[in-house]
Amino acid sequence: MKRVFVYLFRGIVCLIMGIMALWASAAIYYSNLPGSGTRIAAVILFFAVAAGVFWKVRPFYKAALAYGLVWAVIVIAWLCIPPSNNRNWQPDVAVLPSAQIEGDKVTVRNIRNCDYRSETDYTVSYYDKTFDLSKLQGADLFIIYWGSPMIAHTIMSFCFEDDQYLCISIETRKEAGEGYSAIKGFIKQYELIYIVGDERDLVRLRTNFRGEIGRAHV
């Protein structure tokens, strides 16, 4: 019976290490190493080192600990990936918003209001506006699905008197010519940006051109 538990424990540990290996492989392949050939070689090297550890190190728990150290090096390198504001950004995420608060008045600068002809064809424009927080009447929560109901993006739109709205969306800040990948997003390959925008931009893009939005009122 003891032998059965030993094999069961080793099987669980191996499963966990397999998941760790998959994450490490993705982190290496989608890293900032120059050239796909270099990244593939680095992935192969990782598996070669891991295989060598389990081939040479005994007993099993020492091999698992050694493997954990190798994996930790990759995690530390991943954690040290620095964000940057200085890249060749796509036009719709090139400008950062800012706000100045004076009592109940908030002046928001660089509120995005793109004029869309299609999802990818648009003219970017911005404006500044002052909002009175004492006149806040409510908020709308927009929920955006891309397929799976388990994954969603949210946008908050704050409603003020006189039909004034201010939307805030946290999004990936893509570089010019860069597409979106959920895998790359999972392993820290995008910067994030707080987009402060007009509803005619952030909401209309998703209702009129993407058809992917739901809404809840708060």
Side-chain angles (χ1 to χ4, degrees):
M1 182 62 70
K2 182 179 178 180
R3 187 182 295 268
V4 172
F5 280 112
V6 169
Y7 285 128
L8 179 61
F9 175 75
R10 288 190 178 185
I12 293 172
V13 172
C14 288
L15 176 61
I16 294 172
M17 290 190 296
I19 295 172
M20 293 165 62
L22 289 176
W23 181 89
S25 300
I28 295 170
Y29 182 76
Y30 290 105
S31 70
N32 297 326
L33 291 174
S36 60
T38 302
R39 296 193 297 272
I40 292 172
V43 172
I44 295 173
L45 177 62
F46 166 74
F47 277 103
V49 171
V53 165
F54 284 99
W55 181 262
K56 293 292 185 179
V57 179
R58 293 290 185 274
F60 177 80
Y61 79 91
K62 289 186 177 180
L65 289 175
Y67 172 83
L69 290 175
V70 174
W71 187 79
V73 171
I74 298 172
V75 173
I76 291 171
W78 176 77
L79 291 173
C80 292
I81 296 174
S84 174
N85 277 328
N86 301 315
R87 302 190 192 280
N88 181 23
W89 304 113
Q90 289 185 180
D92 58 331
V93 292
V95 178
L96 294 175
S98 63
Q100 181 178 351
I101 303 174
E102 295 181 358
D104 286 340
K105 301 295 179 66
V106 179
T107 300
V108 183
R109 295 182 174 85
N110 298 324
I111 300 173
R112 200 183 76 183
N113 187 26
C114 293
D115 178 20
Y116 291 96
R117 293 169 290 277
S118 71
E119 181 181 352
T120 56
D121 182 16
Y122 51 84
T123 301
V124 181
S125 63
Y126 297 89
Y127 66 87
D128 302 338
K129 192 175 183 65
T130 299
F131 297 89
D132 188 342
L133 296 179
S134 66
K135 296 181 179 180
L136 179 65
Q137 295 182 327
D140 288 322
L141 173 64
F142 296 92
I143 303 173
I144 297 96
Y145 297 100
W146 299 289
S148 171
M150 303 299 293
I151 302 174
H153 174 72
T154 57
I155 296 175
M156 288 295 299
S157 179
F158 297 93
C159 174
F160 297 85
E161 282 185 0
D162 302 322
D163 291 330
Q164 300 182 75
Y165 295 89
L166 183 69
C167 286
I168 299 178
S169 174
I170 304 174
E171 303 181 9
T172 54
R173 196 178 189 189
K174 297 189 289 293
E175 299 177 53
E178 185 178 34
Y180 179 74
S181 164
I183 296 177
K184 291 177 67 176
F186 181 67
I187 55 174
K188 202 177 174 182
Q189 290 302 302
Y190 297 104
E191 280 83 4
L192 295 179
I193 181 173
Y194 280 75
I195 296 178
V196 180
D198 196 296
E199 274 200 358
R200 291 167 294 185
D201 178 329
L202 290 172
V203 177
R204 188 165 66 94
L205 169 63
R206 290 161 172 87
T207 56
N208 292 23
F209 298 99
R210 293 180 180 174
E212 60 183 14
I213 202 164
R215 179 173 182 160
H217 185 73
V218 179

